[in-house]
Amino acid sequence: MNASAGASAATVETRSIDYVPDDERHGKVGHQGPFWFVGNFQPFTLALGFVGPSLGLSLGWTVVAGLAGIAFGTVFMAFHATQGPVLGLPQMIQSRAQFGYRGVLLPLLGTLFTFVGFNVVDVVIIKSGLQSIFGWSPALVAVAITVVAALLAIYGHDLLHRTFRVLFWVSLPLWLVLTFGVLFGGATGTATATGGFSLVAFLVQFSVAASYNITYAPYVSDYSRYLPRETTPSSIIASVFVGAAASPAWLIPLGAWMATYLGATDALSGINQTGNQVVPALGAVLAVVATLVLVATMGLNAYSGMLTVVTAVDSVRSVTPTRRLRVVTIVGLAVVWLAMSMMLTNATSALNTTLLIMLYLLAPWTAVNLTDYFFVRRGHYAIADLFSPRGIYGAWSWRGLTAFLAGVIAEIPFVDLPFFVGPAATAMGEVDIAFIVGMLVSGLMYVALTRTLDVSRELAMIEADPTLADPASASAIARTVAEEEK
C-alpha cells in the first residue's frame, strides 16, 4: 500500500482504505463542525421541509417533526465519528469486525446505494432548479456538476475539507440575509397557509429528517480518521452533532415556510424567489452558491462511494489502493449516477423514496455497528486482522450478518413506500415506523448473539501478539494476503 501521507489539498490524496498513521494525522476537531454544517447547508436540506406540507402537515408541525427527526438521526451519526481517530480507518473497513472480511459485502450494498442515491437526487435538484431559474440546459448542467464533483473526490480528503470551509464563509452571510428577510416580512408569499396535524404525515416528515443524518453514519469516520488518536470522544461527538444538526435545524423550517406560503416544490426556485424579494438578485446569487455547496457534497458522496467500492473489491480479492484505482472507481460511479439522474425529473418524489429506502437499509447496520463498538468490543480491535480473511474476525461473521438481516426482514411489514405498503403499516393507517423496528431488532439480536462471543479471548490474543494491535502492520499483512491469493 502507499506509504506516503494523505497529501495536501493541491495533490491527489494517497490514502483510501488503508490505515492513516499517527504522523499523518493533521486533522482538527474544530474543522468537523463547519465541515458537517456546510455538508447540510444546501438545497437538499431545504427540500426536506417540503415533505410535511406536501402531505397536508401544517408549518408548525412540519418544523416540530423535522427538528425531532434531525436530532434523532444526528445522535447515531455523531457517535460513529468517534471511530475515526481511534482506528484511523474508513468506516466500512471497521465493519468487517461485525460482519467478517467478506460478509461486509452485504451492508456495503446498502451504503453504496446511499452514496449513489444521494448524488442522483442532487443532480435532479440542481439541473431542474437551474433550468427554471436561468434556463440552462439540464443535460449540460448535469454533466458539468458531475465532473466537478468527481474531481473533488479524486483529490480527496484535504481538498474536500478546504472547499467546505471556504463555502461555509461564503454561504453564511447570504443565508442570514435571506432568513432575516423572511422573519421580518421582507419576503411574502401569495399562498394561504393550510394543513393541520396528521400522524402519518408527521411520521413521514420525522423519518425523512432522521434518515438524512443517519445516512451519513457509514462515512462520517471517513472524514475524522485524520484526527489525532488522542482526540476525546466527547469533543468529536459534540463537534459533529452541533455542525450536522444546526444547518438542517435552520433550513428545514425555512423550506417548510417556502412550501407553505410560496407553494414551492423546487428548492433552488424557492431560494431564488424568496431571495429576490428580500434583496434584488440575492436569490440568484444564493441559488448559485447553494448549487456549489451541493456539488461539493456530491464530491463527498463520491469519495465515500469510492471507499465503499474499493472495500467491496478488496473483500473479494485483496487490492492495492492506488491512485489509478481511485480515479477509475470514481469515474465509474460518476457515469452511473449521471445516467440514472437523466431518467428522473421529479426531485421531491425521488427524495422521499430514496431517503426512506436508505433508512431501511442503514438503520439495522448502524445498530449492529454501534452496539459492537460501544458495548461489545468497547473500541478494542485487532486492526491488522481487519485486512485478512483469516484473522480473528473471519471471512463471514454469522452474528453480525444474522442481526442485520433480521432487522431488515423485521422492517418489511412496517414499510410505507409508493410501490409497497407493509401489512403492519396498513393496519396503523400507513404509519411508517420500520426503521425504529429495524434498529431495535438488529441491536437487541446482536447483543443476544454476542453473549457467547469470547471478547476476552480476542483481547488476550491482541496482548499476546502486539502486531495485531499495531495498525502499521496492517498494510504488510494485506500485501502478504494479496500475494498468496495471486
Side-chain angles (χ1 to χ4, degrees):
M1 294 185 182
N2 296 307
S4 58
S8 69
T11 58
V12 176
E13 180 190 4
T14 58
R15 298 290 175 191
S16 59
I17 65 170
D18 45 344
Y19 171 75
V20 180
D22 288 347
D23 60 358
E24 297 178 18
R25 304 288 190 90
H26 55 278
K28 297 179 181 179
V29 174
H31 290 166
Q32 291 290 314
F35 181 79
W36 292 110
F37 182 92
V38 176
N40 283 338
F41 208 39
Q42 33 100 338
F44 200 132
T45 311
L46 190 82
L48 296 181
F50 297 171
V51 175
S54 72
L55 299 173
L57 201 63
S58 69
L59 173 60
W61 283 116
T62 297
V63 171
V64 171
L67 297 187
I70 282 295
F72 179 84
T74 309
V75 168
F76 298 94
M77 171 193 174
F79 274 88
H80 279 286
T82 62
Q83 300 174 22
V86 173
L87 302 174
L89 295 169
Q91 181 68 70
M92 298 312 292
I93 288 290
Q94 187 272 343
S95 289
R96 286 173 171 172
Q98 298 94 53
F99 300 97
Y101 184 85
R102 305 195 198 286
V104 77
L105 287 167
L106 186 61
L108 280 173
L109 293 174
T111 56
L112 184 60
F113 174 83
T114 297
F115 303 136
V116 174
F118 264 131
N119 277 4
V120 169
V121 177
D122 288 347
V123 173
V124 173
I125 290 174
I126 293 172
K127 73 175 184 177
S128 60
L130 295 183
Q131 181 189 33
S132 65
I133 296 171
F134 304 110
W136 294 351
S137 165
L140 290 178
V141 167
V143 171
I145 62 178
T146 293
V147 170
V148 173
L151 286 173
L152 284 173
I154 287 170
Y155 278 87
H157 178 277
D158 287 3
L159 182 58
L160 283 166
H161 268 275
R162 183 171 296 181
T163 301
F164 274 52
R165 288 198 295 274
V166 171
L167 290 172
F168 174 81
W169 293 111
V170 173
S171 303
L172 188 62
L174 298 174
W175 283 108
L176 283 170
V177 172
L178 178 69
T179 303
F180 281 122
V182 171
L183 291 175
F184 295 104
T188 57
T190 57
T192 302
T194 58
F197 178 79
S198 161
L199 182 59
V200 172
F202 183 92
L203 288 177
V204 169
Q205 178 68 69
F206 175 89
S207 298
V208 167
S211 71
Y212 193 47
N213 277 346
I214 286 179
T215 52
Y216 274 136
Y219 55 123
V220 65
S221 71
D222 296 350
Y223 304 94
S224 65
R225 74 191 197 279
Y226 280 90
L227 291 173
R229 186 188 303 274
E230 60 270 16
T231 301
T232 60
S234 58
S235 65
I236 183 67
I237 290 171
S239 184
V240 171
F241 183 89
V242 172
S247 43
W250 181 344
L251 295 190
I252 288 176
L254 195 58
W257 181 88
M258 291 180 185
T260 302
Y261 289 100
L262 301 180
T265 57
D266 179 272
L268 287 175
S269 295
I271 292 170
N272 181 61
Q273 182 180 349
T274 306
N276 288 341
Q277 287 188 40
V278 176
V279 177
L282 172 64
V285 172
L286 187 52
V288 172
V289 172
T291 295
L292 294 176
V293 174
L294 194 52
V295 172
T297 307
M298 289 174 59
L300 183 120
N301 295 329
Y303 178 85
S304 287
M306 174 272 298
L307 294 176
T308 295
V309 171
V310 174
T311 299
V313 174
D314 185 67
S315 296
V316 176
R317 183 177 180 83
S318 294
V319 298
T320 301
T322 61
R323 285 173 170 165
R324 181 176 181 274
L325 178 60
R326 171 199 208 89
V327 172
V328 170
T329 303
I330 291 171
V331 170
L333 288 172
V335 170
V336 171
W337 86 61
L338 178 62
M340 293 177 67
S341 67
M342 291 297 189
M343 297 183 289
L344 292 175
T345 56
N346 189 330
T348 301
S349 174
L351 171 70
N352 295 353
T353 304
T354 301
L355 283 175
L356 286 173
I357 294 175
M358 291 177 190
L359 188 59
Y360 300 150
L361 294 173
L362 295 182
W365 167 82
T366 194
V368 170
N369 183 266
L370 290 179
T371 299
D372 182 77
Y373 186 85
F374 286 101
F375 300 107
V376 178
R377 291 186 170 95
R378 301 179 184 274
H380 299 291
Y381 296 90
I383 295 178
D385 272 20
L386 294 172
F387 291 87
S388 171
R390 293 185 289 276
I392 61 176
Y393 305 113
W396 304 89
S397 179
W398 66 270
R399 293 179 178 88
L401 292 169
T402 301
F404 175 80
L405 289 172
V408 173
I409 293 171
E411 288 176 326
I412 295 174
F414 297 89
V415 303
D416 181 14
L417 291 168
F419 53 85
F420 175 78
V421 179
T426 301
M428 294 187 295
E430 297 190 5
V431 173
D432 189 338
I433 60 169
F435 74 99
I436 298 175
V437 173
M439 292 180 78
L440 286 173
V441 170
S442 289
L444 292 174
M445 178 163 285
Y446 191 72
V447 169
L449 294 176
T450 52
R451 288 176 66 87
T452 59
L453 178 66
D454 189 358
V455 178
S456 61
R457 176 176 170 271
E458 290 186 12
L459 291 174
M461 290 175 62
I462 295 171
E463 292 174 0
D465 184 0
T467 61
L468 290 176
D470 177 16
S473 67
S475 59
I477 289 176
R479 282 197 300 270
T480 300
V481 171
E483 289 299 323
E484 290 176 353
E485 290 183 350
K486 286 181 180 179

